[in-house]
Amino acid sequence: MKKLNKLFWICLFISSSYYYSATLVDSSYFPMSIGNEWEYYSDFEPHSEIIVDTLRMNGVLYYGFTRLADPVFWQREYEDKVYYLDLSDSTEFLLFDFTIDIGDSIELPSGYECSYGRKIFLVSKSDTIITPSGIFYNCYHFEHKINCNDAGILDTWFAKGIGKVKYIADYFVGTQEFPLNSYSIVTSVGENVVNKIDTSYKLFQNYPNPFNPTTTIEYTIAEPADVKITIYDLLGRKVNTFLNNNQNAGNYKIIYNAGNLPSGIYYYQIKCGDYTETKSMILLK
């Protein structure tokens, strides 16, 4: 009976996560939803990257990005890996992998060495990046091995839940830095609403997930404020408020114990001044 119950909740989680994937920001280093926009500052060529469309190919869903005058290019994110769709033959290749170890590399197919390089190495998982939009900690740093002169991305940094926060590229005018100037991410539960997020505030994905019965929740606040974290069930009903304190600015890590709750999908929401963010988690007993 216990095994059947576990199987039921696993199936429920899979089907529910498919429904909510369009409305919730996940824990990925490359969040994808239509309307997500990243604006990069540069004296040479300031620009935005915007997700404008979707495309289903070979049974999987890709998101269409537009950048400057470039035509739309298609990517997808799955299990902390980013794949790039090659429209010339309808195949895909691995572009970024956030599960590899430092020093490991990804080899790209020929034809992309003048854009992303032929090999991409993971250099660090703990870089601190300062940008006009804020300070990002524990960033993944990838180094690109470019096989072309005066072309291509040299380095890329990603922050959890935000995406690409900085990159360095070679141009005919020389090496240029492109730090994140601002960004918009689809964040609301049940609605497709684009919010400007202050990067000094952040709610991270709980871990482990699924969990039984305890899980860790991390968050960052920018200034002293009243912080409230509330748990909701799958139907949006409040289960309990397990944190409601005034806290100083900083990074926090707390343990949530759901021993008195039945298995299922829940949401945890942080409120801190004008900042609100919600994420999902699964309790599997």
Side-chain angles (χ1 to χ4, degrees), residues 190-226:
E191 296 178 1
N192 211 29
V193 178
V194 178
N195 294 327
K196 284 288 185 181
I197 301 176
D198 183 347
T199 55
S200 299
Y201 295 89
K202 185 61 190 171
L203 177 67
F204 296 100
Q205 186 65 43
N206 67 300
Y207 62 89
N209 190 39
F211 66 98
N212 177 30
T214 61
T215 188
T216 300
I217 296 173
E218 295 186 37
Y219 58 95
T220 300
I221 60 175
E223 57 188 8
D226 292 328

Side-chain angles (χ1 to χ4, degrees), residues 4-279:
L4 286 175
N5 284 338
K6 283 193 175 183
L7 182 60
F8 169 77
W9 286 112
I10 290 171
C11 292
L12 176 62
F13 177 66
I14 292 171
S15 61
S16 299
S17 61
Y18 175 82
Y19 172 77
Y20 283 103
S21 63
T23 56
L24 289 176
V25 176
D26 59 23
S27 62
S28 164
Y29 285 82
F30 210 134
M32 294 190 188
S33 284
I34 290 180
N36 284 3
E37 177 179 359
W38 298 265
E39 178 186 293
Y40 298 98
Y41 171 79
S42 169
D43 290 331
F44 166 64
E45 195 175 54
H47 65 278
S48 292
E49 295 183 9
I50 310 170
I51 300 180
V52 295
D53 203 355
T54 59
L55 171 69
R56 188 166 292 277
M57 180 76 69
N58 301 325
V60 295
L61 187 68
Y62 295 89
Y63 289 86
F65 291 72
T66 182
R67 177 179 56 214
L68 291 171
D70 292 349
V72 174
F73 55 96
W74 304 91
Q75 298 180 356
R76 71 181 180 102
E77 188 274 336
Y78 180 70
E79 293 185 343
D80 275 337
K81 298 179 178 68
V82 177
Y83 297 88
Y84 192 105
L85 176 62
D86 187 341
L87 286 175
S88 66
D89 58 4
S90 301
T91 62
E92 66 177 14
F93 59 87
L94 183 62
L95 181 59
F96 292 107
D97 187 348
F98 300 97
T99 68
I100 63 176
D101 294 323
I102 293 173
D104 290 346
S105 65
I106 305 155
E107 187 163 350
L108 276 60
S110 60
Y112 291 88
E113 60 267 16
C114 292
S115 298
Y116 296 99
R118 195 60 192 274
K119 277 191 175 184
I120 302 177
F121 290 84
L122 179 60
V123 177
S124 172
K125 299 181 180 181
S126 58
D127 282 11
T128 298
I129 300 299
I130 301 174
T131 75
S133 63
I135 302 174
F136 300 91
Y137 302 94
N138 299 318
C139 294
Y140 274 59
H141 175 195
F142 290 94
E143 180 183 350
H144 303 244
K145 294 299 183 183
I146 301 296
N147 291 12
C148 298
N149 293 325
D150 302 329
I153 297 174
L154 301 177
D155 295 272
T156 314
W157 288 266
F158 293 90
K160 193 171 186 178
I162 306 299
K164 185 168 61 180
V165 296
K166 180 183 176 182
Y167 71 97
I168 299 175
D170 247 356
Y171 281 80
F172 63 92
V173 295
T175 301
Q176 300 289 319
E177 289 193 6
F178 296 88
L180 188 63
N181 193 50
S182 67
Y183 69 96
S184 301
I185 302 290
V186 177
T187 59
S188 66
V189 178
E191 296 178 1
N192 211 29
V193 178
V194 178
N195 294 327
K196 284 288 185 181
I197 301 176
D198 183 347
T199 55
S200 299
Y201 295 89
K202 185 61 190 171
L203 177 67
F204 296 100
Q205 186 65 43
N206 67 300
Y207 62 89
N209 190 39
F211 66 98
N212 177 30
T214 61
T215 188
T216 300
I217 296 173
E218 295 186 37
Y219 58 95
T220 300
I221 60 175
E223 57 188 8
D226 292 328
V227 180
K228 180 186 290 187
I229 298 181
T230 306
I231 308 298
Y232 297 91
D233 66 14
L234 188 60
L235 298 178
R237 298 173 298 198
K238 184 169 75 171
V239 174
N240 68 286
T241 298
F242 79 97
L243 178 71
N244 191 5
N245 292 326
N246 185 275
Q247 295 183 314
N248 293 322
N251 301 316
Y252 291 87
K253 183 187 296 187
I254 55 177
I255 305 296
Y256 176 63
N257 191 323
N260 62 332
L261 297 177
S263 296
I265 299 170
Y266 295 89
Y267 299 100
Y268 58 102
Q269 181 184 80
I270 187 171
K271 286 189 176 181
C272 180
D274 294 330
Y275 170 74
T276 300
E277 189 169 356
T278 305
K279 291 187 180 294

